[in-house]
């Protein structure tokens, strides 16, 4: 992979096939998240982001209508290339364009430092989601 990261923003109809495949591989196969928890029925209401390098879909994220960012996933072979950062920057910018003053997410605890580097602050206690430890995080959006 030699190209730069290109982020596409769109709805589930446009990006869902590729985004869903990435989420299936990362969450259902790699992390053993139950299918019925991964497919929560909220995708049609979300703005989706798809990261491509050299035309290949390698990462995804979604922005819910309440300002939560979720389902951030990068294929194992593409981690460490800046794809997660590019996805998060796109999601935060989309939230800003929609008038949100903050964005929130539930981070897997192993990823807390990643999100902290992007300006998120952990709040509350650790909780389990799909059997995986998480913590809620928030980032205030300045002007």
């Amino acid at each position: 992979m030699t190209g730069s990261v290109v982020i596409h923003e769109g709805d589930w109809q446009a990006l869902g096939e590729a985004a869903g495949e990435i989420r299936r591989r990362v969450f259902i196969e790699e992390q053993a998240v139950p299918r019925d928890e991964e497919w929560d029925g909220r995708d049609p209401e979300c703005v989706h982001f798809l990261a491509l390098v050299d035309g290949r879909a390698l990462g995804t994220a979604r922005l819910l209508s309440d300002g939560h960012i979720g389902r951030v996933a990068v294929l194992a072979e593409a981690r460490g290339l800046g794809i997660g950062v590019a996805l998060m920057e796109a999601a935060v910018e989309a939230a800003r364009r929609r008038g949100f003053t903050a964005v929130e997410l539930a981070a897997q605890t192993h990823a807390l430092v990643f999100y902290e580097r992007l300006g998120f602050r952990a709040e509350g206690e650790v909780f389990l989601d799909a059997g995986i430890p998480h913590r809620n995080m928030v980032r205030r959006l300045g002007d």
Side-chain angles (χ1 to χ4, degrees):
M1 289 172 271
T2 56
S4 58
V5 179
V6 176
I7 304 293
H8 289 270
E9 179 178 328
D11 61 18
W12 187 244
Q13 187 171 349
L15 302 180
E17 185 175 350
E21 176 60 15
I22 292 165
R23 285 167 47 187
R24 184 190 65 75
R25 288 175 60 187
V26 171
F27 297 126
I28 296 171
E29 289 182 9
E30 185 182 326
Q31 298 183 351
V33 171
R35 282 182 189 279
D36 62 333
E37 289 187 44
E38 175 56 32
W39 307 120
D40 61 2
R42 299 187 74 183
D43 287 312
E45 74 188 57
C46 297
V47 178
H48 294 270
F49 305 90
L50 190 66
L52 295 98
V53 177
D54 298 331
R56 186 165 166 233
L58 299 173
T60 188
R62 73 182 187 183
L63 174 66
L64 284 86
S65 57
D66 63 2
H68 276 76
I69 297 170
R71 302 306 200 265
V72 181
V74 176
L75 294 178
E77 66 266 24
R79 293 180 192 146
L81 301 176
I83 292 169
V85 170
L87 284 164
M88 289 301 299
E89 287 173 349
V92 167
E93 183 52 37
R96 193 177 269 124
R97 285 194 321 267
R98 286 163 174 76
F100 289 102
T101 58
V103 286
E104 298 179 41
L105 54 82
Q108 294 183 6
T109 54
H110 71 83
L112 287 172
V113 171
F114 168 78
Y115 292 113
E116 286 169 349
R117 284 195 302 251
L118 294 170
F120 285 81
R121 192 180 80 249
E123 294 186 340
E125 300 300 316
V126 173
F127 63 93
L128 291 180
D129 186 4
I132 301 168
H134 284 71
R135 235 174 132 197
N136 286 323
M137 301 189 84
V138 64
R139 175 176 166 185
R140 306 273 172 234
L141 302 180
D143 314 282

